């Protein structure tokens, strides 16, 4: 049986798309956009309407956190505790609270970033993330294997959803698990069926990226 979850929200992935394309989606009512490169994101944030909610979805280097800390709404891709500490430090400078998702490695490909299930549980049980005062761990993010095998994709998303539920039900103090970011153009339908609250979609909206 599926558990009840928040309505699914759409993150329009605008990486490598020009500002005009983003503006077009904005004018159609979209407010949440996702980017994966710091420099590209800060340029777009400068040029585009200030009520856009920018999400960071790519691998984030610690020395670049300072550039997005003043405005970022959600970081989906936190893959180490030291990164979380740096986000906390920079958020403090701006007197902000930055919501973050912890990225979990669920795909069989070796190249994708993220915590293993054991590493994640160990980190949360240590209580260290919950002590940071300017970041909130709000959920998990994951990417399924790049494959046409739908059953494999489904089982990877299901595994992530079960981990999400397990952490939620463990009622770890000062931890609010509300967002489960999974699903891209090729697999968002399966992700929604498996409990996603945030889908990150680029190419099926804008067409193939150059
Ligand atoms: C590029 C990207 C997406 C969007 O991929 P599409 O296949 O274009 O929908 C989603 N998530 C992450 C982390 C990405 O880097």
């Amino acid at each position: 049986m599926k558990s009840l979850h928040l309505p699914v929200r759409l993150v329009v992935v605008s990486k490598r798309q020009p500002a005009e394309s983003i503006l077009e989606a904005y004018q159609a009512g979209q407010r949440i956009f996702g980017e994966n490169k710091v420099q590209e994101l800060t340029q777009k944030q400068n040029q585009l309407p200030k009520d856009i909610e920018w999400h960071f979805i790519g691998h984030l280097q610690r020395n670049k956190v300072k550039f997005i800390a003043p405005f970022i709404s959600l970081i989906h891709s936190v893959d180490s505790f030291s990164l979380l500490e740096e986000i906390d430090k920079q958020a403090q400078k701006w007197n902000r609270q930055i919501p973050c998702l912890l990225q979990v490695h669920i795909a069989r490909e070796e190249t994708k970033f993220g915590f293993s299930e054991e590493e994640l549980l160990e980190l949360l049980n240590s209580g260290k993330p919950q002590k940071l005062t300017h970041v909130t761990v709000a959920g998990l993010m994951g990417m399924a294997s790049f494959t046409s095998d739908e059953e494999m994709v489904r089982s990877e998303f299901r595994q992530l959803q079960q981990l999400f539920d397990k952490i939620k039900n463990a009622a770890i103090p000062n931890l609010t698990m509300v967002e489960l970011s999974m699903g891209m153009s090729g697999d968002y339908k399966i992700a929604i069926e498996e409990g996603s609250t945030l889908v990150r979609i680029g190419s099926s909206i804008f067409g193939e990226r150059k």
Side-chain angles (χ1 to χ4, degrees):
M1 227 177 70
K2 295 212 169 60
S3 53
L4 287 173
H5 56 80
L6 292 171
V8 185
R9 282 167 307 134
L10 169 65
V11 179
V12 167
V13 175
S14 50
K15 63 186 185 197
R16 311 213 301 267
Q17 302 295 341
E20 305 82 75
S21 302
I22 300 175
L23 204 52
E24 206 177 318
Y26 177 90
Q27 277 152 0
Q30 180 65 24
R31 290 294 179 273
I32 310 176
F33 293 90
E35 290 281 339
N36 69 343
K37 294 275 189 294
V38 168
Q39 199 185 355
E40 186 178 340
L41 169 56
T42 53
Q43 280 171 1
K44 286 171 174 173
Q45 193 269 340
N46 249 316
Q47 288 177 284
L48 287 157
K50 293 297 168 252
D51 64 338
I52 288 181
E53 242 187 72
W54 293 102
H55 289 196
F56 197 81
I57 62 167
H59 180 62
L60 181 57
Q61 286 172 292
R62 277 190 301 167
N63 61 355
K64 293 193 175 162
V65 173
K66 57 179 177 285
F67 301 115
I68 63 171
F71 64 85
I72 200 75
S73 293
L74 179 66
I75 300 174
H76 291 230
S77 44
V78 175
D79 55 9
S80 71
F81 181 62
S82 60
L83 176 59
L84 198 64
E85 285 182 304
E86 179 62 17
I87 298 168
D88 181 64
K89 184 176 144 195
Q90 297 300 331
Q92 199 152 4
K93 290 187 184 163
W94 294 93
N95 200 19
R96 295 191 67 216
Q97 184 80 31
I98 301 181
C100 293
L101 308 182
L102 300 176
Q103 184 170 352
V104 185
H105 180 104
I106 53 170
R108 54 180 182 163
E109 285 112 23
E110 282 295 326
T111 54
K112 294 191 176 156
F113 294 100
F115 293 95
S116 70
E117 184 165 337
E118 297 76 50
E119 288 166 341
L120 184 74
L121 292 173
E122 193 185 307
L123 176 64
L124 294 176
N125 286 324
S126 76
K128 288 195 288 187
Q130 299 91 303
K131 289 204 184 89
L132 301 176
T133 50
H134 290 74
V135 290
T136 320
V137 174
L140 305 180
M141 182 271 230
M143 275 189 274
S145 295
F146 185 71
T147 171
S148 56
D149 181 348
E150 291 198 358
E151 282 320 301
M152 174 179 269
V153 170
R154 185 179 298 282
S155 85
E156 289 171 354
F157 284 149
R158 189 165 295 176
Q159 191 191 326
L160 185 59
Q161 198 280 332
Q162 284 169 350
L163 179 62
F164 177 80
D165 263 6
K166 181 170 162 182
I167 296 168
K168 201 161 134 178
N169 295 335
I172 301 170
N174 301 318
L175 194 67
T176 0
M177 296 296 276
V178 287
E179 301 289 2
L180 184 54
S181 168
M182 56 186 198
M184 320 189 352
S185 291
D187 56 20
Y188 72 91
K189 287 181 188 145
I190 302 173
I192 291 169
E193 285 167 2
E194 297 303 327
S196 173
T197 67
L198 283 169
V199 289
R200 311 176 309 268
I201 299 182
S203 52
S204 68
I205 292 170
F206 293 116
E208 287 303 320
R209 282 177 291 274
K210 275 161 236 124

